[in-house]
Amino acid sequence: MRLLQGLLGVVLGILTAVLGTVLGILAAVLWLVGAVLCVTVILLPLGIPVVKLARRLFTLSRQLMHLP
């Protein structure tokens, strides 16, 4: 039973690290889109919330990857 719990912990750790990496890549792309929207003055009201959302996704991906 103890071995099964250890194996489950390792698998969940790897899975959350991969999920955090994918989420980090998605946040980077979203941040880039938000930055492009912010550069165009007309679309500035759309760009600011997108950048804020990307920041939240970066924070979540960091938590998933267990970075200090």
Side-chain angles (χ1 to χ4, degrees), residues 3-15:
L3 178 67
L4 187 62
Q5 285 179 346
L7 184 62
L8 184 64
V10 169
V11 169
L12 283 177
I14 291 172
L15 186 66

Side-chain angles (χ1 to χ4, degrees), residues 53-67:
L53 176 64
R55 193 178 93 197
R56 287 184 194 151
L57 288 177
F58 271 128
T59 304
L60 182 61
S61 71
R62 182 177 173 196
Q63 289 174 353
L64 284 174
M65 289 189 285
H66 305 293
L67 294 176

Side-chain angles (χ1 to χ4, degrees), residues 19-42:
L19 184 64
T21 303
V22 170
L23 196 60
I25 292 170
L26 177 69
V29 170
L30 196 62
W31 184 86
L32 189 61
V33 169
V36 169
L37 287 174
C38 284
V39 168
T40 59
V41 177
I42 294 172

